[in-house]
Amino acid sequence: KNEVEQSPQNLTAQEGEFITINCSYSVGISALHWLQQHPGGGIVSLFMLSSGKKKHGRLIATINIQEKHSSLHITASHPRDSAVYICAVLRGSGNTPLVFGKGTRLSVIA
Amino acid sequence: NAGVMQNPRHLVRRRGQEARLRCSPMKGHSHVYWYRQLPEEGLKFMVYLQKENIIDESGMPKERFSAEFPKEGPSILRIQQVVRGDSAAYFCASTGTGSSYEQYFGPGTRLTVT
């Protein structure tokens, strides 16, 4: 079993829909990243969070440390949101390598 | 205000050749991580370096792969005698030494072995 599990693996939505991507992890962490990767493109960090909730534009990330679960929400989805969204955790404290989920491939159709 | 730089962005090598991938961290950052993304697979950690030191190379194949981060210049990931299975996207990320351990990613190098 992977240390970081994401669901769903693939998601297709109509433009304007509210989208939720889930991430569960089985190890102790100090922080969690949500990353975005467009096809053939680089990786952009959307959020790093260790508790509570963060919001940036139409994106919202939440984390529940006790339940070892995080969600990424996209409100009013748009075709340009189509990308792979990756959950990654920082195990332990300090500078440590990230452990990644396999990603959720999102397609938003106009 | 340059971010993490990687070059080349695309690299084609024939089987048996050497590949050298370069990563320049963000200004002020002294920690570099290399990750590999195989086709249709998730990202996997390879090696973590600080200036002149390899801190953790537990994710790096024992043979043909090496990494360095000299006092001056970029970090280099070197793959000797490349094979088709080395075809992948290689990303580096950097962090600073402050209290935030957020990793900033470079654009990646896409290696194709023919």
Side-chain angles (χ1 to χ4, degrees):
Chain A
K1 191 179 188 296
N2 292 331
E3 292 175 320
V4 182
E5 296 279 358
Q6 285 186 238
S7 63
Q9 275 188 292
N10 295 284
L11 181 56
T12 300
Q14 291 291 127
E15 183 173 359
E17 282 186 14
F18 180 84
I19 287 161
T20 296
I21 299 170
N22 295 299
C23 174
S24 297
Y25 50 91
S26 56
V27 294
I29 69 168
S30 57
L32 181 146
H33 278 259
W34 280 103
L35 308 167
Q36 181 192 56
Q37 185 177 29
H38 282 100
I43 295 168
V44 174
S45 179
L46 299 173
F47 297 102
M48 186 176 86
L49 66 166
S50 53
S51 64
K53 176 180 175 178
K54 285 191 176 180
K55 184 176 190 293
H56 185 251
R58 295 180 294 106
L59 301 177
I60 303 165
T62 63
I63 188 167
N64 185 319
I65 295 293
Q66 286 74 30
E67 294 187 4
K68 296 188 174 178
H69 181 268
S70 176
S71 293
L72 177 68
H73 306 285
I74 305 175
T75 61
S77 59
H78 191 276
R80 65 174 174 267
D81 296 327
S82 299
V84 176
Y85 292 84
I86 303 166
C87 171
V89 301
L90 266 171
R91 296 171 65 183
S93 60
N95 274 303
T96 60
L98 290 168
V99 180
F100 300 87
K102 292 190 175 179
T104 294
R105 189 176 301 273
L106 171 66
S107 296
V108 181
I109 300 167
Chain B
N1 189 24
V4 180
M5 312 278 281
Q6 287 188 251
N7 67 80
R9 296 288 303 274
H10 299 273
L11 182 61
V12 180
R13 284 286 177 267
R14 289 200 181 96
R15 277 179 297 170
Q17 290 185 318
E18 179 179 287
R20 280 187 181 231
L21 288 62
R22 292 175 188 77
C23 169
S24 296
M26 281 182 74
K27 190 176 179 181
H29 284 187
S30 57
H31 301 253
V32 166
Y33 301 83
W34 285 94
Y35 298 101
R36 178 166 68 172
Q37 187 176 42
L38 290 165
E40 302 303 317
E41 291 191 23
L43 286 148
K44 294 280 195 306
F45 164 70
M46 298 184 75
V47 61
Y48 163 34
L49 309 102
Q50 290 182 33
K51 285 281 186 182
E52 301 185 278
N53 287 305
I54 295 174
I55 307 302
D56 181 353
E57 56 182 347
S58 59
M60 199 137 79
K62 295 283 186 283
E63 296 178 356
R64 302 187 298 108
F65 286 72
S66 62
E68 63 177 12
F69 190 12
K71 189 176 179 182
E72 301 291 335
S75 175
I76 295 174
L77 179 68
R78 184 177 172 215
I79 312 173
Q80 295 178 289
Q81 299 174 328
V82 295
V83 301
R84 288 231 173 95
D86 297 331
S87 295
Y90 292 82
F91 291 93
C92 77
S94 72
T95 64
T97 53
S99 57
S100 168
Y101 302 109
E102 184 163 7
Q103 295 189 18
Y104 296 84
F105 284 81
T109 293
R110 278 153 182 83
L111 172 66
T112 302
V113 179
T114 61

